[in-house]
């Protein structure tokens, strides 16, 4: 059974149909990847699914429940979390505080409890601190907990966003180019991390340009070009699909894909 | 043992209140000190709104005036001053909650203009409804004496001193609450919104609700500060709710550093005390203040307190590095 079902989503920016009737499904415990050339509409699709943009067509369902048009914070409560291609960390907070913010939904203390520093509010903050520290360790950032986020490297910030999304307890995780700007070692670490996250039974949707990573890790792959879906299937099928090779791999990726194949 | 941020804030503020009382030579100093604490309280509200969440309000003097006039008016109908003050705070909170929802959808200068309009509206009502408020001439405020209050608990002080201690205590409480808030779930959500409301929402933060909450809290701070000013001065004019006062509150917050309550204190101290000192050079007063503002914004955009804290941290790091280098060589 798929947990996330997306059907016929569309949006236009001025005259540009950035996403046009795109649908896909994603299952728990699997990585579903979205690939396509620059400007294909991958990030826009994430923004539609996560409620940042309002779709003018189509529907999103989580566990069969229609969630189309819900604002982002309601989707988060329905179990969806995401990272951002163009980092959206909180630069003035420490790495630890960034991740603690991801615990927001588990925190129950009200404003007054917070103002007066009541024991309930303090205990809750201590719990969030522990959960955040564990998530930082898991993403390999344990040693940087007290560092201001603004002082972290690009690759570290990418992982910080993953840690922050993980502590929400999400059942669906949307990752927008988590390995961008990472070296080979870091990419390998991200690979393992995503594998482990899916292994916990979470539904992972991945946008990624690194074909080796995508081919290795994905159960299903959706290929977009100019806002439209041009192919969908298992990695082997996508690799062989002539439309995909033409639209996406043809120019610069074919060699890379063949290398991954070998 | 390390102290929690709330405790540390309490100790620093309490120590400064005491320090003032130890060095002040005359009632005049106590009166200026009282004003500093009242402004610190109002500016602490701006720290929550501007420093934590990143929203600019140019209308907070309106809430300040609501607190002040409630405390001036209600006792005339038999309401005790303490209750009148609470009613003023509640009224400001209610107005902030009602008006906050629609205008907090706006951002940047649109929000600034909307809050400016709100402040103007309140100021206009206070100026025009002379039958109730005495109009531009203002009104006297009676019915409460800090001196008698302290006397009832066995402390005998001069009137100016009593107000100083009372306002210092309330400002200290206000600072501790704001620091507690910053360390809480809501405070983290506020600061997250400051940096990216899209990311905050993606983590389940109801951004509209959080902004509204911060607006209400800051309005209550302003209203309580207004009530204290009305009581301490014994009279109040509509200018307490005027545009210039709103600008002053924002300026104090930005000058000291809007991100912390220490910034609120430093900003309030400089912009309250300096004009008193500068009256000697009356002609240059505005020039000097203006120059300080422009200079701060050019050299230390995050405000005085963060800039100085950063400088100290760098010094300490350099000294440590120096010591290490000597040991190595
Ligand atoms: N907010 C927006 N306003 C106008 N145009 C937009 C907006 N967001 C995206 N677009 C346009 O929609 C198209 C798809 O962009 P999108 O960012 O989704 O591509 P992408 O597949 O994520 O590309 P990349 O691989 O470079 O990240 C592009 O032409 C882009 O310029
Ligand atoms: Mg993209």
């Amino acid at each position: 059974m798929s947990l996330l079902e997306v059907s016929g989503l569309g949006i236009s920016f001025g005259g540009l149909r950035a996403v046009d009737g795109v649908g896909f499904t994603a299952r728990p415990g699997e990585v579903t990847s979205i690939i396509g050339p620059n400007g294909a509409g991958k990030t826009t699709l994430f923004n539609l699914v996560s409620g940042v943009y309002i779709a003018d067509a189509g529907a999103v369902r989580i566990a069969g429940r229609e969630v189309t048009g819900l604002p982002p914070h309601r989707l988060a409560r329905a179990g969806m979390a995401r990272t951002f291609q163009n980092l959206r960390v909180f630069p003035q907070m420490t790495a630890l505080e960034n991740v603690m913010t991801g615990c927001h939904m588990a925190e129950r203390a009200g404003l007054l409890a917070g103002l007066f520093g009541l024991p309930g509010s303090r205990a809750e903050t201590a719990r969030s601190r522990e959960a955040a520290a564990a998530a930082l360790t898991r993403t390999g950032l344990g040693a940087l907990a007290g560092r201001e986020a603004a002082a972290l490297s690009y690759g570290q910030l990418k992982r910080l966003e993953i840690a922050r999304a993980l502590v929400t307890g999400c059942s669906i995780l949307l990752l927008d180019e988590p390995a961008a700007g990472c070296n080979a070692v870091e990419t390998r670490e991200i690979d393992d991390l995503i594998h482990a996250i899916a292994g916990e039974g979470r539904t992972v949707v991945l946008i990624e340009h690194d074909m080796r990573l995508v081919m290795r890790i994905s159960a299903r792959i959706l290929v977009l070009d100019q806002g439209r879906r041009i192919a969908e299937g298992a990695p082997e099928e996508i690799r062989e699909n002539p439309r995909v090779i033409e639209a996406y791999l043809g120019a610069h990726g074919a060699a890379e894909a063949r290398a991954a194949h070998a | 043992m390390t102290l929690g941020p709330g405790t540390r804030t309490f100790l620093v503020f309490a120590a400064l209140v005491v320090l003032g009382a130890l060095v002040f030579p005359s009632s005049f100093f106590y009166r200026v000190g009282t004003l500093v604490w009242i402004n610190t309280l109002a500016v602490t509200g701006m720290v929550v709104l501007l420093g934590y969440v990143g929203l600019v309000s140019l209308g907070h003097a309106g809430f300040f005036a609501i607190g002040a006039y409630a405390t001036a008016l209600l006792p005339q109908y038999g309401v005790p001053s303490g209750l009148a003050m609470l009613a003023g705070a509640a009224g400001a909170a209610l107005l902030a909650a009602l008006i906050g929802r629609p205008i907090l959808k706006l951002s940047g200068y649109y929000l600034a203009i909307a809050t400016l309009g709100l402040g103007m509206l309140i100021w206009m009502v206070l100026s025009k409804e002379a039958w109730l408020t005495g109009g531009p001439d203002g009104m006297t405020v009676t019915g409460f004496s800090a001196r008698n209050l302290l006397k009832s608990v066995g402390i005998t002080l001069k009137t100016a001193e009593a107000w100083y201690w009372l306002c210092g205590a309330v400002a200290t409480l206000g600072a501790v609450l704001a620091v507690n808030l910053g360390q809480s779930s809501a405070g983290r959500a506020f600061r997250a919104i400051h940096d990216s409301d899209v990311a905050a929402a993606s983590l389940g933060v109801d951004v509209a609700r959080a902004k509204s909450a911060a607006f209400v809290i800051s309005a209550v701070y302003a209203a309580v500060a207004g009530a204290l000013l009305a009581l301490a001065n014994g009279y109040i004019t509509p200018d307490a709710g005027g545009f210039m006062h709103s600008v002053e509150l924002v300026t104090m917050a930005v000058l000291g550093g809007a991100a912390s309550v220490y910034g609120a204190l430093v900003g309030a101290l400089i912009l309250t005390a300096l004009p008193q000192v500068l009256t000697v050079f009356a002609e240059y007063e505005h020039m000097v203040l203006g120059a300080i503002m422009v200079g701060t914004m050019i050299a230390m955009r995050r405000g005085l307190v963060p800039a100085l804290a950063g400088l100290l941290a760098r010094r300490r790091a350099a000294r440590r590095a120096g010591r290490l280098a000597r040991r190595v060589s």
Side-chain angles (χ1 to χ4, degrees), chain A residues 42-44 85 176-177 207 209:
Chain A
K42 305 179 295 294
T43 297
T44 306
Q85 178 179 0
D176 198 345
E177 303 200 13
I207 296 176
H209 280 295

Side-chain angles (χ1 to χ4, degrees), chain B:
Chain B
M1 208 199 103
T2 54
L3 297 171
T7 317
R8 210 178 322 138
T9 305
F10 172 78
L11 291 177
V12 171
F13 272 65
L16 289 171
V17 175
V18 173
L19 182 69
L22 287 178
V23 300
F24 289 163
S26 69
S27 288
F28 169 76
F29 280 82
Y30 277 99
R31 277 198 295 278
V32 176
T34 303
L35 274 183
V36 169
W37 291 123
I38 290 173
N39 283 332
T40 300
L41 183 67
V43 178
T44 301
M46 303 307 285
V47 166
V48 172
L49 186 67
L50 176 62
Y52 290 1
V53 191
L55 298 172
V56 180
S57 167
L58 290 180
H60 260 54
F63 297 120
F64 188 94
I66 287 175
Y69 274 88
T71 312
L73 284 167
L74 293 180
Q76 298 184 350
Y77 302 93
V79 180
S81 293
L83 220 56
M85 186 174 184
L86 285 182
L94 192 69
L95 181 65
L98 286 177
I99 206 93
R101 273 295 168 133
I103 67 175
L104 292 170
K105 287 209 184 82
L106 308 170
S107 59
Y109 33 77
Y110 298 107
L111 177 63
I113 298 297
T115 50
L116 181 119
L118 173 68
M120 300 272 255
L121 216 64
I122 295 170
W123 176 78
M124 226 126 82
V125 170
L126 294 175
S127 307
K128 302 289 176 229
E129 304 300 313
W131 60 275
L132 186 67
T133 65
D137 296 337
M139 61 187 298
T140 54
V141 186
T142 53
F144 182 79
S145 150
R147 187 165 173 264
N148 290 349
L149 177 78
L150 292 182
K151 207 178 211 166
S152 71
V153 294
I155 305 168
T156 312
L157 290 170
K158 288 189 200 144
T159 300
E161 294 171 2
W163 279 115
Y164 173 83
W165 284 102
L166 190 67
C167 293
V170 177
T172 302
L173 175 68
V176 170
L177 296 191
V179 168
N180 283 342
L181 182 69
Q183 301 297 315
S184 74
S185 178
R188 285 190 291 279
F190 287 174
R191 287 182 289 143
I193 292 170
H194 183 285
D195 287 352
S196 167
D197 49 359
V198 174
S202 82
L203 301 169
V205 174
D206 186 339
V207 173
R209 225 181 93 173
K211 284 183 175 178
S212 169
F215 198 59
V216 169
I217 291 171
S218 63
V220 169
Y221 270 91
V224 173
L228 287 176
L229 183 75
L231 291 171
N233 276 353
Y235 76 93
I236 192 77
T237 69
D239 284 344
F243 173 62
M244 278 319 289
H245 190 208
S246 285
V247 171
E248 233 170 66
L249 294 177
V250 175
T251 308
M252 287 174 180
V254 173
L255 176 67
S260 86
V261 295
Y262 303 110
L265 173 58
V266 169
L269 177 67
I270 292 177
L271 289 186
T272 310
L274 211 55
Q276 306 288 344
V277 179
L278 291 178
T279 43
V280 191
F281 325 92
E283 286 157 61
Y284 301 107
E285 178 191 333
H286 287 100
M287 238 161 76
V288 173
L289 286 178
I292 290 177
M293 284 310 300
V294 173
T296 311
M297 284 308 100
I298 292 173
M300 312 175 232
R301 195 151 328 141
R302 290 169 71 184
L304 286 170
V305 169
L308 292 180
L311 193 71
L312 280 180
R314 270 196 301 279
R315 271 262 184 87
R316 219 174 300 143
R319 210 172 312 135
R320 209 177 307 136
R323 229 179 292 138
L324 205 66
R326 267 196 302 281
R327 211 175 309 152
V328 167
S329 61

Side-chain angles (χ1 to χ4, degrees), chain A residues 35-98:
Chain A
I35 62 171
N38 293 115
K42 305 179 295 294
T43 297
T44 306
L45 180 60
F46 263 19
N47 284 335
L48 291 171
V49 171
S50 63
V52 176
Y53 295 158
I54 309 283
D56 56 28
V60 179
R61 287 190 189 74
I62 295 177
R65 186 166 77 92
E66 167 115 28
V67 294
T68 321
L70 285 188
H73 70 272
R74 296 277 304 279
L75 287 165
R77 294 201 177 262
M80 188 185 290
R82 66 170 294 184
T83 66
F84 298 86
Q85 178 179 0
N86 303 314
L87 298 167
R88 291 190 187 264
V89 292
F90 311 125
Q92 300 191 12
M93 297 187 186
T94 64
L96 187 70
E97 284 176 318
N98 263 272

